[in-house]
Amino acid sequence: MRRLSMALPLVQRQPPLPWGPDMRSTRDDLLDRYLHLRKISKTLHDDVLRSISADALLSQARRLGLAQGRTFVLDHEDEMYFVYDLAIYTAPADRSRAIDRYARPAPFAPQSDERLMLDAMRASQFAILLIERPHDSAGLIVTDILRNTKVWLLDVGLEASMDEGELIATRLITPGPFSMTAGVNVPFEVEMLEAICAMLPRSIGNRELSRIAEDRRFAEAVYKAGLIGGVMDKMAYIDLTDQA
């Protein structure tokens, strides 16, 4: 079996968080801000999706094993979120990403929260996160094990459902001192690495972990491994923006 140099640095000493003291905000303040930004991100995702052709979605679904010919083949309707994520945030090297094409003519004012979120979405990073502990105010302190950095993750669903020491693969959006997920999560297990490595081209093998994470094929392989492992049987998506 071909293997890549992707040992996960779970035992390395982690650097401190990149910002100073915790934000002087109550939990309610932080959750209000989070839900407001989450609602904006959902609207932006929906807008970007409307600009993506059905052929592009089908092509991405086929790569994940979720379509045959021109027909989507889903065990669960939420499996389409993996297709949407890759169609919005990734593209082959010779093509532009849908999120970037959408951003160029977007009419948002420079200081608006819409522009803040759109810029954060364009700068998003695919990550595998190790749950460390609850944040003192809200959310979780996690370690991005591909970049060996600490992250303040604000996500109501993950805060309620993830335990210390668990791993999750997701796409991070960072609109301020805390990060959010782009909406798609895969409970991650180290045993998944063998299947993921087998799906990746040999040329990726000698890269640093952070560079491997930036390759669109890595997220695709993680999602595909999750789907093969029955990820939708282990989790459910909840639209928290309805509670804002």
Side-chain angles (χ1 to χ4, degrees):
M1 175 69 69
R2 176 171 57 88
R3 295 183 181 273
L4 305 183
S5 54
M6 293 177 60
L8 301 182
L10 298 182
V11 297
Q12 294 186 17
R13 184 177 66 85
Q14 303 297 330
L17 293 170
W19 47 84
D22 290 346
M23 291 175 62
R24 297 177 181 271
S25 300
T26 67
R27 178 177 175 83
D28 287 344
D29 291 336
L30 288 166
L31 293 181
D32 284 347
R33 179 64 173 165
Y34 162 77
L35 290 171
H36 170 66
L37 294 177
R38 174 65 73 198
K39 188 171 184 177
I40 291 173
S41 72
K42 183 178 185 300
T43 299
L44 292 173
H45 277 126
D46 289 344
D47 287 347
V48 178
L49 276 175
R50 281 191 283 270
S51 72
I52 300 174
S53 69
D55 284 345
L57 293 176
L58 275 167
S59 176
Q60 187 61 72
R62 284 193 290 268
R63 292 177 64 89
L64 290 175
L66 296 177
Q68 296 178 0
R70 299 193 59 81
T71 302
F72 291 104
V73 181
L74 308 175
D75 291 328
H76 193 289
E77 62 181 7
D78 285 349
E79 291 175 341
M80 280 299 297
Y81 287 120
F82 297 102
V83 177
Y84 297 154
D85 176 90
L86 294 171
I88 289 172
Y89 289 104
T90 72
D94 59 343
R95 300 185 63 182
S96 61
R97 301 183 305 165
I99 187 69
D100 295 325
R101 295 195 301 272
Y102 172 83
R104 283 193 286 268
F108 306 124
Q111 303 304 317
S112 67
D113 284 341
E114 287 77 10
R115 175 58 63 181
L116 173 71
M117 281 304 299
L118 183 55
D119 289 345
M121 289 163 66
R122 294 180 69 192
S124 65
Q125 294 181 313
F126 189 78
I128 297 175
L129 304 178
L130 172 66
I131 308 300
E132 298 279 1
R133 59 179 174 83
H135 185 274
D136 291 340
S137 299
L140 299 163
I141 298 299
V142 302
T143 297
D144 177 347
I145 63 175
L146 299 179
R147 298 172 182 85
N148 196 27
T149 58
K150 296 279 190 179
V151 176
W152 176 10
L153 178 66
L154 197 50
D155 187 292
V156 175
L158 294 182
E159 182 182 6
S161 61
M162 297 290 291
D163 295 325
E164 295 178 19
E166 290 188 305
L167 292 163
I168 192 162
T170 190
R171 192 177 304 280
L172 288 177
I173 300 173
T174 306
F178 61 77
S179 295
M180 309 162 57
T181 72
V184 176
N185 307 309
V186 176
F188 195 84
E189 299 175 355
V190 174
E191 291 76 13
M192 294 169 61
L193 279 174
E194 184 173 353
I196 291 168
C197 292
M199 299 177 199
L200 294 173
R202 188 181 301 273
S203 59
I204 292 180
N206 295 323
R207 298 182 188 177
E208 295 180 359
L209 288 174
S210 59
R211 290 193 60 205
I212 292 174
E214 293 168 1
D215 192 298
R216 69 182 181 90
R217 292 166 294 187
F218 181 69
E220 185 177 273
V222 171
Y223 292 164
K224 191 169 184 179
L227 289 165
I228 291 171
V231 64
M232 300 314 304
D233 296 330
K234 304 173 184 178
M235 61 187 300
Y237 290 98
I238 301 173
D239 188 358
L240 295 173
T241 57
D242 292 340
Q243 303 174 24

